[in-house]
Amino acid sequence: MCGIVGFIGKNAVSNAMEKLRLLQYRGYDSVGVGFVEDGEIRIEKAVGKVDELSVKSESVRAVAHTRWATHGKVCTRNAHPHASGENWAIVHNGIIENYSELATGKTVSDTDSEVIAQLLEKYGNGLGSVIACAQKLEGAFAVLALEKSGKIYAIKQKSPLFVSEKNGEVVFASDPVCFCGFSDTYYSFCDKECAVADENGVEFYSFSGERIAKTPQTLAVEYRASEKGDFDTFMHKEIYDIPLAQSRIEQTYLPAFVSEVVSDIRHADEVWFIGCGTAYHACLFAVCVFEKAGVRCRAFIASEFRYSDVVPTKNTLCVFVSQSGETADTLGALEKVAGVCKTVALTNVGYSALASAVNVCLPTLAGEERAVASTKAYACQIFVFDILASVLNNAEPVMQKLDKNGLDYIFEEAKRVVKSFDKNELFVLGRKADYVTALECALKVKEVSYVNANAYPTGELKHGFIALIEEGTEVLIFATDPILYKKSLHGARECKSRGAKITVVTTEPEMFEGVGNVVKVSSYLCSVAFAFAFALECAKKRNFDPDMPRNLAKSVTVE
Ligand code: G6P
């Protein structure tokens, strides 16, 4: 994953570091910056987040990097930039698959990236060397190479890279969000493109050395960098963003807007929903609501799907769900079916690789999401699916909207429940769509509070995992489906009889009186919001930063 920034202009180091802060969602285990001072390249690195590194320099050139380790443990030696002589410092996002074949000598770091610096030193200076290097590399890579001369070169293959220029200043970045406050226009790199930049601007070239003319794009308003406002974490703020995002979706997802997709769904033999992590849970939710609407459908984990033997017909419709639109496994799954059947993306990032590679792109409209654990994007994904299913059914959407008062209440309840929750293990149960919430809750709790939370369909209790229930075991049950209230109650009682401490999140509190803690919610979406709030409060209680949990990154651009 990793985030990379290049800056040409005044206060290049502090400007690059400032922009790098916006890319920490891509990884934050170590940080580094390379710059030119007194005609020499200087490199400074540290383990930890961007704020761990404080560098003062008047340099007008800098490349910077925030890392999510793939090759080599987290340590200063493995942090970027890498150099292999005096002429180049490189930062890299992606994986160089043939790095061991390319190495020209012993490397200082354990990374796959250092070989890029070795190759550049071997080939010499200037664009010719950069192109020669780019032609040798295999895998996924966005590279910024700072030359001692002060020029910054860029190479792109599969990993995202963008550039913007204005009044003699140039910014390269892994995400256009870095251009907020700098310029409203930017250029996207396509695969197998490179560039050279100095204070006179940027020139683009193909890997075979031909000059390329590119058209600038306009920065979308909804991706202007957001701030925490009155909230102490982005995760908290983003849960409170849900009502506004829902209104945006309602105003956009009018019947005419969705008519093509709805007709595709109607006419498909089968609809396959494909995603990873939280996005996969949205796929499971989609199956629940579309099956109800009479559609044959299936959900797949993208990383499994891409290597599975399942084959779509030309009448299968594949719907890819991804907040970032950049997840390597989801893009890999798309590659498997592209050209065979029609493809649709539901993504939050309109300029992402996924958005441009599918036949139809539906916007999630969640607005920028900074916290690693996705909350509002998930809420928006399921809201969109609910609307699509209702159009298919010619009915009103089932899902209710959230509002601030409702969220305040949910957070109070989550705090109350978390207060007495002090175990390192949690069982989360539910059935049908409530099982999807249980899965999502367990994932969030694991991600941000490191509690070993596992979700099971309540009905499976007696088929195995009841063996794990003992005195004091914490069990959280979601029960918002009227048809299954009674069945959920049986599950709750079976756990309680074995000494478990039960919390039930339900739209029918009277039914669960006496089994334990009962949290009354007014709708399915409120129970989802409770799942988010519960995970966030668990993280807070344990003093963990929910926005940047250990070992994770928001967009996983490696396989
Ligand atoms: C990573 C994140 C998850 C996210 C998943 C899919 O694993 O840590 O929170 O759900 O990627 O991301 P996407 O951008 O494709 O929705």
Side-chain angles (χ1 to χ4, degrees):
M1 282 75 89
C2 307
I4 61 175
V5 171
F7 196 95
I8 292 178
K10 257 176 118 179
N11 301 321
V13 172
S14 55
N15 275 317
M17 298 303 278
E18 186 66 46
K19 305 210 172 291
L20 201 60
R21 237 171 237 119
L22 298 172
L23 298 183
Q24 290 191 95
Y25 71 86
R26 307 179 66 84
Y28 35 80
D29 57 41
S30 52
V31 56
V33 63
F35 48 98
V36 181
E37 212 168 62
D38 303 326
E40 301 292 329
I41 289 181
R42 258 185 68 192
I43 290 175
E44 300 285 344
K45 314 183 196 189
V47 166
K49 296 176 184 151
V50 170
D51 288 339
E52 296 301 317
L53 192 64
S54 154
V55 181
K56 296 226 172 328
S57 167
E58 302 280 286
S59 178
V60 288
R61 306 283 193 266
V63 291
H65 187 270
T66 178
R67 180 170 186 244
W68 186 84
T70 57
H71 291 63
K73 63 177 188 173
V74 177
C75 61
T76 317
R77 188 169 50 84
N78 288 335
H80 298 218
H82 292 290
S84 176
E86 292 179 353
N87 296 309
W88 295 95
I90 67 97
V91 290
H92 165 225
N93 165 35
I95 290 183
I96 306 297
E97 282 168 4
N98 56 341
Y99 74 102
S100 49
E101 293 143 48
L102 295 177
T104 59
K106 214 172 151 2
T107 52
V108 176
S109 73
D110 311 314
T111 66
D112 54 322
S113 311
E114 192 182 335
V115 74
I116 305 169
Q118 284 190 334
L119 282 186
L120 288 171
E121 287 291 343
K122 176 176 151 188
Y123 292 137
N125 284 317
L127 183 66
S129 312
V130 173
I131 288 174
C133 170
Q135 286 170 344
K136 291 274 179 205
L137 303 177
E138 285 172 18
F141 43 89
V143 179
L144 295 177
L146 173 65
E147 195 183 40
K148 200 167 147 183
S149 67
K151 286 195 158 85
I152 294 180
Y153 295 85
I155 310 174
K156 137 86 174 160
Q157 165 69 18
K158 286 194 178 159
S159 300
L161 189 60
F162 306 88
V163 64
S164 180
E165 57 178 325
K166 198 182 92 185
N167 306 334
E169 292 193 324
V170 179
V171 182
F172 289 96
S174 305
D175 186 326
V177 76
C178 293
F179 307 136
C180 297
F182 175 75
S183 168
D184 286 343
T185 59
Y186 65 95
Y187 299 92
S188 295
F189 281 83
C190 298
D191 284 345
K192 295 196 185 304
E193 283 184 359
C194 49
V196 51
D198 59 17
E199 60 283 346
N200 298 317
V202 191
E203 287 174 2
F204 299 91
Y205 294 87
S206 69
F207 277 13
S208 43
E210 287 123 30
R211 185 84 187 264
I212 300 170
K214 289 181 86 71
T215 317
Q217 285 165 261
T218 306
L219 199 63
V221 175
E222 65 266 37
Y223 298 110
R224 302 290 155 92
S226 54
E227 292 306 327
K228 278 185 232 168
D230 294 335
F231 296 92
D232 49 356
T233 64
F234 276 106
M235 186 173 171
H236 199 175
K237 183 233 170 210
E238 285 161 5
I239 297 169
Y240 272 83
D241 283 347
I242 296 171
L244 185 62
Q246 282 189 297
S247 303
R248 268 200 301 267
I249 292 171
E250 274 184 338
Q251 283 156 21
T252 308
Y253 276 76
L254 301 170
F257 181 75
V258 296
S259 63
E260 181 184 346
V261 168
V262 167
S263 153
D264 289 339
I265 294 172
R266 261 198 198 112
H267 296 110
D269 293 344
E270 248 192 17
V271 185
W272 293 357
F273 297 93
I274 303 154
C276 301
T278 288
Y280 168 66
H281 295 159
C283 295
L284 291 173
F285 176 85
V287 169
C288 293
V289 290
F290 283 100
E291 274 180 348
K292 216 174 193 168
V295 176
R296 283 169 61 95
C297 44
R298 293 169 75 179
F300 294 93
I301 294 171
S303 56
E304 289 294 305
F305 175 81
R306 62 190 296 193
Y307 298 110
S308 74
D309 297 318
V310 64
V311 183
T313 67
K314 69 175 186 355
N315 276 332
T316 308
L317 181 70
C318 283
V319 181
F320 296 87
V321 184
S322 173
Q323 188 284 129
S324 64
E326 251 198 70
T327 304
D329 284 319
T330 309
L331 292 171
L334 170 63
E335 255 174 49
K336 177 181 165 129
V337 300
V340 179
C341 62
K342 190 157 180 183
T343 56
V344 176
L346 175 60
T347 179
N348 202 29
V349 183
Y351 52 78
S352 61
L354 184 68
S356 52
V358 288
N359 301 118
V360 179
C361 182
L362 296 174
T364 309
L365 301 175
E368 195 203 8
E369 194 179 63
R370 295 269 290 273
V372 164
S374 175
T375 53
K376 65 171 169 172
Y378 176 73
C380 290
Q381 286 158 357
I382 64 173
F383 195 58
V384 166
F385 284 136
D386 192 57
I387 291 182
L388 289 176
S390 69
V391 177
L392 262 165
N393 274 335
N394 296 320
E396 285 298 308
V398 178
M399 201 173 281
Q400 314 246 307
K401 276 174 69 185
L402 289 177
D403 61 31
K404 185 184 171 301
N405 289 343
L407 285 168
D408 287 346
Y409 161 77
I410 283 163
F411 268 92
E412 284 314 312
E413 286 294 272
K415 271 186 203 139
R416 177 175 71 80
V417 175
V418 168
K419 206 167 178 186
S420 62
F421 173 64
D422 48 17
K423 293 269 182 345
N424 279 322
E425 190 182 45
L426 173 69
F427 290 81
V428 197
L429 315 184
R431 302 195 70 155
K432 291 177 75 185
D434 287 325
Y435 171 54
V436 179
T437 311
L439 284 166
E440 178 55 13
C441 181
L443 178 65
K444 287 281 168 288
V445 170
K446 276 195 278 255
E447 282 180 321
V448 301
S449 68
Y450 318 134
V451 167
N452 186 12
N454 288 298
Y456 299 94
T458 317
E460 277 292 284
L461 187 59
K462 53 198 171 294
H463 299 297
F465 72 90
I466 198 163
L468 297 169
I469 307 287
E470 55 185 13
E471 199 60 40
T473 304
E474 292 273 357
V475 177
L476 177 60
I477 304 176
F478 288 91
T480 67
D481 186 339
I483 295 169
L484 290 161
Y485 286 147
K486 277 201 180 133
K487 306 286 174 196
S488 303
L489 182 60
H490 297 330
R493 286 201 177 124
E494 284 159 15
C495 293
K496 191 179 163 71
S497 320
R498 284 153 184 95
K501 200 172 133 236
I502 315 283
T503 301
V504 186
V505 181
T506 181
T507 35
E508 188 60 45
E510 288 77 25
M511 167 123 11
F512 293 90
E513 255 169 38
V515 286
N517 232 334
V518 177
V519 175
K520 179 183 180 214
V521 287
S522 54
S523 68
Y524 177 77
L525 194 57
C526 285
S527 74
V528 174
F530 179 86
F532 298 154
F534 179 82
L536 176 60
E537 293 303 329
C538 280
K540 279 192 186 165
K541 187 176 173 189
R542 287 156 188 256
N543 285 325
F544 295 127
D545 173 5
D547 288 346
M548 289 194 236
R550 71 183 178 209
N551 302 339
L552 296 177
K554 189 157 186 65
S555 92
V556 183
T557 56
V558 292
E559 203 181 332

